[in-house]
Amino acid sequence: MASIDRQLDTAFPKRHLQITPSNTVDIAIMPMAVYCAEDGTAQVVDIDGTVLPYVMTRGQILYIRPVRINATGTTGTFYALYN
């Protein structure tokens, strides 16, 4: 049972921080997911440097581990969810 508890302990994020979009500065901690706090578009940069826009609504969770959310083209408010 203890091993199941440890697996669940790492399966869900325990911390969060507001993402400040930037075209040059990466997110301090690579999140497990991105939560949308205010409707908008997130210009998501993945680990390979690929940028794609995600149109999101409040309460939506984007299950990707971005390195950065670019400022150019990003609207809305987003939180990084991490362990």
Side-chain angles (χ1 to χ4, degrees), residues 3-82:
S3 65
I4 292 174
D5 289 341
R6 274 186 255 125
Q7 288 173 351
L8 289 175
D9 191 47
T10 60
F12 300 100
K14 296 184 205 86
R15 297 173 179 90
H16 56 266
L17 60 85
Q18 186 168 346
I19 296 172
T20 301
S22 171
N23 292 335
T24 57
V25 179
D26 291 345
I27 300 169
I29 298 168
M30 186 182 284
M32 298 172 68
V34 175
Y35 174 81
C36 179
E38 181 184 323
D39 294 2
T41 299
Q43 296 290 335
V44 177
V45 182
D46 71 12
I47 198 162
D48 294 323
T50 303
V51 182
L52 289 174
Y54 287 88
V55 177
M56 298 176 66
T57 57
R58 183 178 180 190
Q60 186 176 356
I61 296 174
L62 179 62
Y63 293 100
I64 189 168
R65 302 193 69 196
V67 295
R68 185 172 62 249
I69 303 293
N70 279 345
T72 303
T74 293
T75 59
T77 303
F78 303 96
Y79 299 149
L81 307 177
Y82 65 99

